Amino acid sequence: MNEFEIVACSSFGVESVTKRELVKMGFENCPAVDGRITFKGSLKDVLRCNVNLRTADRILIKLCEFKADTFDGLFDEIYAFEWKDFVSVDQKITVVAKSVKSKLFATSAIQRLTKKAVAEKLKKSYKTSVLAENGAEMKIEVSLKNDVATVSLDTSGMGLHKRGYRDLVGAAPLKETLAAALVMLSVWNSDRPFADLFCGSGTLPIEAAMIGLNIAPCINRTFAINGWKFFDGKIFDEVVQEAKANQIERELKIFGFDIDDNAISLSMRHAKRCGVEKYIHFQRQDFKDFSSKLRYGVIVSNPPYGERLMSEKEVRFLYKDLHAKFNTLNDWSLGVLTSYYDFEKAFGKKADKNRKFFNSNLECHFFQYLGAKPPINNITPKE
């Protein structure tokens, strides 16, 4: 088990950002298909991806792939795999199944049959008649597409958006992984001011601070793989220490505003839990009152929209007012995530960039309006 076939799973629209992260980590041959980026790596690489990737939903280890158009064939192939190499005798086994355009489409039946095949093989391998299943959980994923089954292990456990700093959320929260993707897709870098005019529970400013300081997003949590048979605690400690060593201390100009006092309190709580409170200025303020002497700043926001918190009439007025405010910030850039179908018309200007995402199964678009490019190393206040 010196090398695994690793799969980083990403949400729709985020795959290219995750792939960019992986290339930066040194994984150059990593094709992306249907939200899954596949590459070769070691156990340490599996752990590195779980700790460091900002936009991936979870990390899988791909075990095997085979044609499966009958239940007997599926059982035989699952049973043939050497599960003892991965699974302890007391491991709790959970199976999840997906099926697309395949003869075997009843996911509950696929799950039951897979669990039975794995259990029978483990009982034979460990020479026992009973599997206690009182140990750490191992989630097996069986994904069928066009009658081809792919069997994988979920190494992450809880989704990787669960960083650990956000214990309370406001209305219609933005997932941390998508927030990180929006920041990374914007033109912002750590030399430029960053502002969220509708910060809610603080996710966008906090993710920006973590990116600016190069804080690994999941450095303070564990993963499903931590309780597995072949887990190596020393390697995990190495990964965590390397991530800590890569953190950068620098001054950041990051701001979070919201009209709701409770939202600001929540944002400050989460920033403190994340350890980035001194890098972000949170303030109760209506977005219409925003102004700044700083130049070349970047606004990234996920404002209220019709299906979330406001009526359509209120939304249209909000976007019109947002455009008016943006017009006063001549060299700033703006990125807005919204599910509102007629955003550009309500805003009053066609976006320079437009990208589709899904936030909690709600189709959204990220509209970007690009301001002037700053001179290199010359972010200065207006004169």
Side-chain angles (χ1 to χ4, degrees):
M1 292 196 284
N2 294 323
E3 187 176 67
F4 300 101
E5 189 162 3
I6 307 171
V7 182
C9 303
S10 294
S11 303
F12 178 89
V14 180
E15 305 97 320
S16 64
V17 189
T18 307
K19 184 171 180 177
R20 192 189 312 163
E21 288 190 83
L22 287 165
V23 170
K24 189 175 180 181
M25 289 174 66
F27 304 105
E28 295 185 0
N29 185 20
C30 46
V33 180
D34 296 332
R36 298 189 170 211
I37 304 102
T38 304
F39 52 100
K40 300 282 188 180
S42 63
L43 171 61
K44 186 173 183 178
D45 292 324
V46 173
L47 298 171
R48 287 175 62 218
C49 289
N50 273 298
V51 169
N52 292 286
L53 286 178
R54 301 185 187 280
T55 63
D57 292 327
R58 57 187 62 251
I59 305 300
L60 309 179
I61 292 175
K62 181 178 174 182
L63 299 181
C64 55
E65 191 171 81
F66 49 85
K67 184 175 178 60
D69 53 8
T70 67
F71 281 112
D72 286 343
L74 178 65
F75 182 94
D76 291 344
E77 292 286 355
I78 297 290
Y79 183 85
F81 188 77
E82 289 300 328
W83 291 99
K84 187 179 180 181
D85 293 340
F86 292 86
V87 187
S88 302
V89 67
D90 65 340
Q91 201 121 31
K92 179 182 178 182
I93 301 167
T94 303
V95 181
V96 293
K98 304 175 183 178
S99 181
V100 178
K101 298 179 181 178
S102 296
K103 294 183 179 68
L104 305 182
F105 57 85
T107 55
S108 58
I110 295 168
Q111 289 167 186
R112 287 194 301 271
L113 182 140
T114 299
K115 177 73 177 284
K116 181 178 179 181
V118 173
E120 291 301 316
K121 184 59 175 282
L122 287 174
K123 284 191 281 188
K124 179 180 179 182
S125 298
Y126 284 112
K127 297 180 174 57
T128 182
S129 60
V130 178
L131 298 175
E133 291 199 75
N134 55 8
E137 182 180 24
M138 175 173 282
K139 186 180 291 184
I140 300 169
E141 180 190 281
V142 181
S143 177
L144 281 94
K145 185 175 181 181
N146 297 322
D147 294 327
V148 174
T150 303
V151 182
S152 308
L153 301 180
D154 178 0
T155 71
S156 301
M158 292 188 302
L160 295 180
H161 69 284
K162 298 282 190 180
R163 319 291 210 208
Y165 66 79
R166 199 169 75 171
D167 61 337
L168 301 172
V169 294
L174 180 67
K175 285 180 71 172
E176 295 89 329
T177 43
L178 180 53
L182 298 181
V183 175
M184 295 168 77
L185 284 168
S186 76
V187 294
W188 181 74
N189 62 54
S190 57
D191 293 326
R192 302 176 72 164
F194 179 94
D196 181 1
L197 306 186
F198 308 86
C199 68
S201 57
T203 308
L204 279 162
I206 291 170
E207 290 295 325
M210 294 178 76
I211 291 169
L213 301 169
N214 202 34
I215 297 173
C218 293
I219 196 169
N220 292 318
R221 57 161 280 188
T222 58
F223 311 93
I225 195 172
N226 288 64
W228 292 3
K229 179 178 182 178
F230 57 89
F231 175 74
D232 189 324
K234 290 183 179 179
I235 294 177
F236 183 66
D237 290 342
E238 285 179 17
V239 169
V240 171
Q241 291 306 313
E242 287 173 5
K244 288 181 178 179
N246 288 331
Q247 292 179 15
I248 300 169
E249 179 60 38
R250 56 158 58 109
E251 182 182 350
L252 297 174
K253 299 180 181 69
I254 299 179
F255 308 90
F257 303 99
D258 203 287
I259 199 170
D260 185 351
D261 279 323
N262 291 330
I264 295 301
S265 296
L266 200 55
S267 295
M268 294 173 69
R269 173 190 176 91
H270 291 159
K272 185 174 182 179
R273 285 173 57 84
C274 186
V276 296
E277 70 274 20
K278 73 176 184 178
Y279 302 95
I280 308 173
H281 174 74
F282 288 109
Q283 180 178 325
R284 183 192 177 280
Q285 180 177 274
D286 191 311
F287 76 93
K288 288 179 281 189
D289 297 326
F290 174 74
S291 64
S292 178
K293 292 182 179 180
L294 298 171
R295 303 188 65 183
Y296 309 112
V298 179
I299 297 169
V300 180
S301 286
N302 177 217
Y305 40 80
E307 293 184 45
R308 294 170 78 228
L309 304 171
M310 303 177 73
S311 69
E312 181 168 348
K313 184 178 180 181
E314 289 172 322
V315 165
R316 295 187 72 86
F317 277 119
L318 183 150
Y319 292 146
K320 182 180 179 181
D321 289 340
L322 182 59
H323 187 197
K325 173 51 61 178
F326 182 56
N327 280 342
T328 69
L329 304 166
N330 294 329
D331 49 19
W332 279 58
S333 297
L334 171 69
V336 177
L337 181 73
T338 177
S339 72
Y340 186 59
Y341 68 97
D342 214 9
F343 170 80
E344 288 172 308
K345 184 176 180 180
F347 187 78
K349 185 178 181 181
K350 185 174 177 61
D352 296 307
K353 293 183 178 181
N354 176 5
R355 192 183 189 107
K356 184 166 74 172
F357 296 98
F358 284 90
N359 183 30
S360 299
N361 297 320
L362 186 63
E363 182 178 320
C364 300
H365 287 259
F366 186 45
F367 297 95
Q368 292 193 68
Y369 297 87
L370 306 181
K373 293 182 179 179
I376 297 176
N377 298 324
N378 188 27
I379 312 299
T380 59
K382 291 181 180 178
E383 298 180 358

